[in-house]
Amino acid sequence: MTPSTTPSTTTSTEKRELSRALAEQRELLLITVQGLDDTQAARRTTVSELTLGGIVKHLAQGERTWTQIMVKGDGELPDGMLDMEQYRMGEGDTLAGLLERYAQAARATEEAVAALPDLDIRVPLPRTPWSPPEPEYWSARQILLHMIRETAQHAGHADIIREALDGANTTARR
């Protein structure tokens, strides 16, 4: 027997499931940075320029950016989207401050997704140096899936950086 669903039930379920998947990836990242001080969060441990604080900063900026693109739907380039400093823990940054920015961005994303009528809405992507010549449109679903992928990828990076820092790894700390 197949359960009966209405479009609004299906939409609500899908929004909840995608939001939960994003929240799970965020949680893995947060486990990775538990117990660190600012010096550790800013330290490079691999040949990459990435640091744990820089990853948190980038993901906070990324969530704000993609949520703005999804909600405004105007195709305008959000402030800070192309700012390369979003990948670095700056002089005035603290891990606690970056984590608070990330938490705020996560709440804004969750509220925006909950308010969407459905995930099929399509919005124009902003023009970037790597954009194709013709306008590109993504659905809210594509944007959420992109945010999940981006968060998962960087959570993996963070786990490697943390393990090189002090031997801790997220899997053992779950």
Side-chain angles (χ1 to χ4, degrees), residues 138-161:
W138 278 11
S139 68
R141 181 181 298 100
Q142 284 175 284
I143 291 171
L144 277 172
L145 290 169
H146 175 76
M147 289 179 7
I148 293 166
R149 183 196 58 77
E150 182 84 0
T151 304
Q153 179 179 5
H154 286 306
H157 293 147
D159 202 35
I160 291 167
I161 293 168

Side-chain angles (χ1 to χ4, degrees), residues 10-98:
T10 303
T11 297
S12 295
T13 300
E14 185 180 18
K15 288 193 305 187
R16 273 194 316 275
E17 288 174 354
L18 290 175
S19 292
R20 186 176 63 236
L22 181 55
E24 288 169 356
Q25 293 307 312
R26 285 188 206 110
E27 183 61 30
L28 289 174
L29 177 73
L30 296 176
I31 291 169
T32 304
V33 299
Q34 283 177 348
L36 295 178
D37 62 30
D38 294 339
T39 302
Q40 292 169 311
R43 185 169 162 224
R44 285 181 51 205
T45 62
T46 68
V47 296
S48 170
E49 293 289 324
L50 289 175
T51 66
L52 294 166
I55 289 171
V56 172
K57 186 175 184 178
H58 166 60
L59 287 173
Q61 176 65 37
E63 282 219 29
R64 281 193 305 274
T65 297
W66 283 105
T67 299
Q68 182 179 338
I69 290 167
M70 182 172 54
V71 170
K72 287 180 95 176
D74 60 8
E76 295 297 316
L77 190 69
D79 287 340
M81 184 173 180
L82 303 181
D83 179 7
M84 297 311 287
E85 289 304 308
Q86 70 177 286
Y87 296 95
R88 293 174 187 81
M89 191 168 168
E91 285 290 319
D93 291 331
T94 64
L95 182 57
L98 295 174

